[in-house]
Structure formats: structure tokens, C-alpha cells
Amino acid sequence: MSDAPDVTSGSGGQRELVARLRAVVEAKDAENAMLRAELEAQRERYRRLELRVAELERRLGQDSTTSGTPPSKDPIGAREQRKAERTRERQSSERERRKDRKRGGQPGHPGAGLARDPDPDERTEVPPPAECSRCGTGLEGAERAGTWWSQVRDVQITRFVTEYLLPLLTCPCCGKVNAAQAPPWAHPGSVSYGPGINTAAVLLSSYGNVPSERTANLIGMLLGVPVSPGFVDLASERLSARLEDAGFDDAMQAALAGEPALAADETPVNLLDPHAGLAEADAGAPHVLVVRTPHRGLTWLRALGSRQHAAITAILAFFTGFLISDGYGAYQDLLPQLAGVQQCCQHVIRRCRAVTKLGPGGLQSWAAEVIEILREAHQAVGEALARGDPALDAELLAKLRQRYDEAVAFGITHNRHRDWHDGNHPGYALGCWLRDYKEQVWLFTREFSVEWTNNCSEQAVKAAKRHQAVSGYWHTPRTLARWCRIRSYLDSAANHGLTALDAVTRALAGDPWLPASAA
């Protein structure tokens, strides 16, 4: 028997040991790789959560100056905060108020107070003062120094009943008894309410945004005339039917078609039963579309089943002039038929102001530069119009456009690779949009008939938002369409010098005011 070591057995053991060690190392490497991957995933998730929190904080900080949010939805204290910011800006600028300048209207300002009526309906002399207001001496038998005056304007609500006597005449030919025609708001053999009470019902429900039951209560309290909620609803239905029969919508469309420029905007609304009376349901939320003239005082509200492009383009298919709108794509679909589109610069300013609040540091100051450039361009257009110039100075316009292009290019370059929680950074998205739609942003500098903002339509949109805020909803598409027609009629008639009572009385008589086509 040999005492030599078993080399073969030892080599095999070493190989086995090395194999086991290699397997352990590979397993540890795989585990480390997995842990590193999980760590990277956690870091990426954490980074995205940070960006998302920043985006949510940005949205919470938005108000009517940085988004399309109406001022009524601004957070509590936002108005005071904006006032403080404007005060700080004014104090740091050269436009600081002069120390000798008083607050309020300046000399020469016409003011908006009540003026004395030179021919009052009634003059009443009040008893003279009994004693001196300075020393208390009795003034009985004192010399009269003249007369001072105090004028009060008021209304007197007088209820009255008019009975129309309708002559009956017998036909000598066939013997039929024929009755005279009663006024449109009267019904033979029954009692009805006249134009004044109908106007009160329509105004309270359409302008006051008061539900029918409360409208009936208010009419009873204010006018002393008990009416029912059913009458209130019927008053609006009757007025809408008269307008429809007279072709009000067709006349409004014909008048708007002749305008050189129109403004359009839309807003979502709530319907209790959005599909009542419709053959098929629209996919989307009901909206109100507002089409308005910047200067002639025509306002046309239309009820939409949804905000789909086809619904908007179908209503505006008649128009071929310049359209002022926001960046919604439905209005871009109308470009082939339009003379041009003016992007609302107020929307642009809000978006730019929102981007300026994003970090880091003053990197987004390019957006503030865009705001300043657009305001300078608007001021230059106003000055050119005041001088009677047919166009803006070409050299000035070129310099403004160059500054705009440089600012936008800076915003695109410095935000192209900046992280954001979802998609592109808002600064990059805004810069690309300003670059792609710059001709529509600058249209007002080439066409002086076009306003640079869509504010007139946004103001008209507030009517639907206010009604919804007070009443909560409309019942059906029909009641929404009825409300839109009545608001369009009363708003436009008022802008052309008609009182609400005159407008409603004419409509009930079958002769409503209709807009004339533009020359």
C-alpha cells in the first residue's frame, strides 16, 4: 500500500470547490444586479413622484391669471395676493403714482354717477329747518336765503287689470258668429298675465338664474301678483317659441355671416337628462357655444350635445371671415373656409405666466419676455389706429417678431430635455406651440379689424357658468336651447337700445326685434 496522496481525488475536490464558489459569486452578482435594477426603478419612481407633486402644486397654484379658471373659482385670498403683487410691481417700476395724484377719478373724467333731472315728474317742498345747526338758535320767522335740492329716483309698482271687450259680429251669409282678435298675450274667455309679468318671469329665470319656484315667490313678493312655477316656465317657453317662429336664429346667422370678424368660445354645462328627446346620444358632455361680434353687440348662444369637432364646425360652417378663438382644435378645422384665425393673446399670456412660475431660477424668463412683446405689439397697433395708419410700421413689426422668435427658441432649447412627470415639460410644449402657431398669434398686427383677445366671448360664456352656479343645471337639451335663444335675443336687443320690456312685448306680439345683416 502506497502512502502517496490521491492527486486525482484532490484535483476533483478543488474543481468542485471552485465550481461551488463560482456559482455563489454568480448568484450574488445576479442578486446585486437585481437589487441595482430595483434601486434604479425606485429612484426613477421617486423622481417621477417628485415631478408629479411639482405638477400638482403648480395646478393648485393656478388661478384666473395663469389658466382658464374663472375668477369666481379662484382660491380665497387670491385676489388680495394679486393686488399685493401688483402693488409691489408698481412700486418697483417707473410708473409709481405721483404723490400729488389723488385716488379715484381725475379731473375731466365724466364719471358714472346720477345726474340731476332738469324736469322731474314731481316737486315736493319739505318743512324748513327748526333751528340753526351751528348754534341752535330757533329759525322761526328767519329770512329765506333760497332753496337747495335733493332728487330721488324710484319706481312705483302699480297693478292693474285690463279687460278687452271683443265685439261679436254675425256673418250675413252663413250666420257664423265672429269674435274680434284679442292681443297676443290675452285669451278669449279667460284671465292671463300681460307682458310686464311675463317679462319679470323671463328675466328672473334667464338673467337672475332663479329656479321657477323661487321666481314665482319673488314675483309674488315684489309685484304682489301670485303666479305659479308652471307659469314661469311657460313664459320662457312662449317667448322662445315666438322667436323660433319669427326666424330669430336664421336672422342671427345671416347677420353674423356678414361680419368681418367673430369671436367664439365654449363651456361645459350640466343637464339633468342630457339625452331626453334626442334620437341618439352624443358621446361627450353638453356644452354652450358662444359666437359674438367684437363691436356690433350681437351675441349668439347655441346648445351643443358635446364638444366634438363636428358639432362646433357644423354651427360655424356659415362664416368665412376672421375667427378669434382659443387653441381648441375644432376651430383649426375651419381654416380652409376662414380668412384667418386669431389666437387669443389673453390665453397665451396666461400660459406664459404659468410657465414663468416653474423653476429653476429665472430660466423661464423667456415666457415673461413673450408677454411683454405681445403687449408692446398691442400698444403699437392701438397707436397706429389712433393716428389713422392703415398698417403697422414694418420695421417695428419686424423687430417685435424677431424678439418673439428668439424668446420662443430659447424656451424650446432650454426645456427640450428637461424632465417632467408626464410627457414634455410645459415650457417646451408652450415654446413649440408658440412657434407653430405664431402667424395666428400675430394676426392682429396685420388685420386691424381683428381683436387680439377673445375676451368678449369669454364674458358671454360667464352667463352659462353663472346660471349653472346658481341653479345647478338645466333639465333637458330643449330647456338649454330655450335658455340660449332667450339670452341671445335679450342681450343683442339690449345692445341695440331696446329695454327688456319692449323686447319681450314685441316678441309676444309676434314682431320680435331681429338683427340686420352687416353692411
Side-chain angles (χ1 to χ4, degrees), residues 428-475:
Y428 178 75
L430 176 60
C432 292
W433 188 91
L434 292 173
R435 177 196 61 196
D436 296 340
Y437 289 92
K438 62 181 180 180
E439 296 304 325
Q440 295 183 11
V441 173
W442 286 88
L443 178 64
F444 74 97
T445 61
R446 304 189 302 273
E447 296 291 338
F448 284 1
S449 63
V450 178
E451 291 291 321
W452 78 314
T453 71
N454 194 25
N455 287 349
C456 62
S457 286
E458 286 195 338
Q459 292 165 359
V461 159
K462 290 180 181 178
K465 294 181 178 180
R466 192 175 298 115
H467 181 95
Q468 187 167 276
V470 175
S471 297
Y473 54 81
W474 288 266
H475 286 83

Side-chain angles (χ1 to χ4, degrees), residues 237-250:
E237 181 66 29
R238 186 184 300 112
L239 177 59
S240 178
R242 295 286 196 276
L243 295 174
E244 188 175 10
D245 294 342
F248 173 75
D249 290 326
D250 293 337

Side-chain angles (χ1 to χ4, degrees), residues 273-357:
D273 187 0
H275 308 309
L278 299 178
E280 57 184 41
D282 271 332
H287 276 66
V288 168
L289 174 68
V290 173
V291 184
R292 199 174 191 188
T293 56
H295 301 297
R296 286 191 70 229
L298 297 179
T299 302
W300 197 31
L301 286 76
R302 297 300 303 271
L304 301 177
S306 70
R307 200 187 180 212
Q308 292 181 347
H309 288 206
I312 294 177
T313 55
I315 292 179
L316 293 173
F318 68 90
F319 186 60
T320 58
F322 295 102
L323 185 66
I324 311 167
S325 68
D326 55 23
Y328 186 47
Y331 303 114
Q332 298 296 317
D333 294 347
L334 296 165
L335 271 176
Q337 74 187 48
L338 295 174
V341 171
Q342 169 65 53
Q343 290 291 338
C344 175
C345 288
Q346 188 60 49
H347 281 77
V348 175
I349 289 173
R350 290 174 191 157
R351 293 181 63 183
C352 289
R353 192 178 288 124
V355 168
T356 59
K357 296 185 177 181

Side-chain angles (χ1 to χ4, degrees), residues 83-387:
K83 183 178 179 180
E85 290 177 355
R86 287 195 299 268
T87 301
R88 287 195 298 269
E89 292 175 359
R90 185 167 58 246
Q91 290 175 348
S92 61
S93 68
E94 297 178 357
R95 296 165 54 188
E96 188 174 356
R97 180 190 298 272
R98 299 194 314 270
K99 297 185 183 296
D100 60 340
R101 186 176 186 268
K102 297 181 180 179
R103 292 189 175 274
Q106 302 305 302
H109 189 274
L114 296 177
R116 183 184 182 186
D117 190 337
D119 186 22
D121 300 304
E122 180 182 358
R123 282 189 170 91
T124 301
E125 186 167 340
V126 300
E131 61 182 27
C132 178
S133 59
R134 178 189 296 175
C135 63
T137 303
L139 298 178
E140 185 178 356
E143 180 182 358
R144 185 161 182 165
T147 303
W148 191 225
W149 61 274
S150 176
Q151 204 170 80
V152 176
R153 295 189 180 186
D154 205 349
V155 295
Q156 185 176 5
I157 299 175
T158 304
R159 290 174 295 163
F160 61 91
V161 177
T162 301
E163 183 172 279
Y164 297 96
L165 302 178
L166 311 177
L168 302 175
L169 298 180
T170 303
C171 177
C173 178
C174 64
K176 175 178 173 56
V177 177
N178 299 272
Q181 186 67 36
W185 47 84
H187 306 282
S190 64
V191 179
S192 56
Y193 295 114
I197 299 178
N198 275 269
T199 300
V202 169
L203 288 181
L204 285 172
S205 58
S206 295
Y207 270 82
N209 309 310
V210 182
S212 298
E213 185 174 356
R214 280 186 282 167
T215 296
N217 292 337
L218 287 173
I219 291 176
M221 295 169 64
L222 180 63
L223 304 181
V225 179
V227 299
S228 66
F231 162 76
V232 173
D233 187 72
L234 185 59
S236 295
E237 181 66 29
R238 186 184 300 112
L239 177 59
S240 178
R242 295 286 196 276
L243 295 174
E244 188 175 10
D245 294 342
F248 173 75
D249 290 326
D250 293 337
M252 182 66 78
Q253 179 174 304
L256 294 173
E259 291 289 331
L262 293 179
D265 199 5
E266 74 290 330
T267 185
V269 294
N270 294 330
L271 292 187
L272 197 62
D273 187 0
H275 308 309
L278 299 178
E280 57 184 41
D282 271 332
H287 276 66
V288 168
L289 174 68
V290 173
V291 184
R292 199 174 191 188
T293 56
H295 301 297
R296 286 191 70 229
L298 297 179
T299 302
W300 197 31
L301 286 76
R302 297 300 303 271
L304 301 177
S306 70
R307 200 187 180 212
Q308 292 181 347
H309 288 206
I312 294 177
T313 55
I315 292 179
L316 293 173
F318 68 90
F319 186 60
T320 58
F322 295 102
L323 185 66
I324 311 167
S325 68
D326 55 23
Y328 186 47
Y331 303 114
Q332 298 296 317
D333 294 347
L334 296 165
L335 271 176
Q337 74 187 48
L338 295 174
V341 171
Q342 169 65 53
Q343 290 291 338
C344 175
C345 288
Q346 188 60 49
H347 281 77
V348 175
I349 289 173
R350 290 174 191 157
R351 293 181 63 183
C352 289
R353 192 178 288 124
V355 168
T356 59
K357 296 185 177 181
L358 301 177
L363 186 62
Q364 308 299 342
S365 59
W366 67 272
E369 177 68 11
V370 170
I371 296 176
E372 186 63 28
I373 293 168
L374 291 178
R375 286 176 173 168
E376 289 181 20
H378 178 241
Q379 182 178 356
V381 169
E383 293 172 352
L385 285 170
R387 293 192 302 266

